[in-house]
Amino acid sequence: MFVKDVVVQNQVGLHARPATFFIQKANEFKSSIWIEKEERRVNAKSLLGILSLGIVGGTTIRIIADGADEEDAVKGLVDLVDSGFAEDAR
C-alpha cells in the first residue's frame, strides 16, 4: 500500500471537469485507488464517490493505492493535483 497527502491546488477543487481528469488518470493504473478526506474514503475511479466528498480548492486529501503499480499511481495522481489541473483552464 502506498499513501500520500496532497493539497488540491485548483480553485474549484475536485468538481466536474477536474474530477473527470482525475478519474481518467486513475483508470490508467491497475491498482485499487482511494481518496480520503477527513477519514471518509471513496473509490478514486468513481465520479459519484469523488463528488460526494465535496473537495474544494485548498483541501488536503489522502491518495491511497494498493496493487502492482501503486507507487506510480499515487505519484501520477499527486502530479495531476499539484499541477492545478492546468488542462481545465483550456
Side-chain angles (χ1 to χ4, degrees):
M1 187 173 302
F2 195 81
V3 179
K4 178 83 173 166
D5 290 342
V6 62
V7 176
V8 177
Q9 298 294 322
N10 70 337
Q11 294 180 357
V12 297
L14 282 178
H15 297 284
R17 289 187 63 186
T20 302
F21 290 137
F22 189 91
I23 292 164
Q24 288 172 343
K25 186 69 173 177
N27 279 315
E28 292 177 10
F29 301 100
K30 294 179 182 177
S31 293
S32 297
I33 307 169
W34 301 275
I35 299 177
E36 193 172 86
K37 175 188 166 202
E38 300 171 359
E39 306 300 321
R40 185 157 173 248
R41 186 182 290 187
V42 299
N43 184 334
K45 298 178 181 182
S46 165
L47 182 59
L48 290 176
I50 292 173
L51 294 177
S52 73
L53 291 177
I55 299 168
V56 297
T59 300
T60 299
I61 60 173
R62 177 169 288 150
I63 301 173
I64 304 160
D66 190 18
D69 55 0
E70 61 191 27
E71 191 170 342
D72 290 337
V74 170
K75 287 180 178 179
L77 293 169
V78 167
D79 288 346
L80 180 63
V81 173
D82 281 345
S83 75
F85 298 89
E87 296 146 28
D88 194 45
R90 290 183 192 167

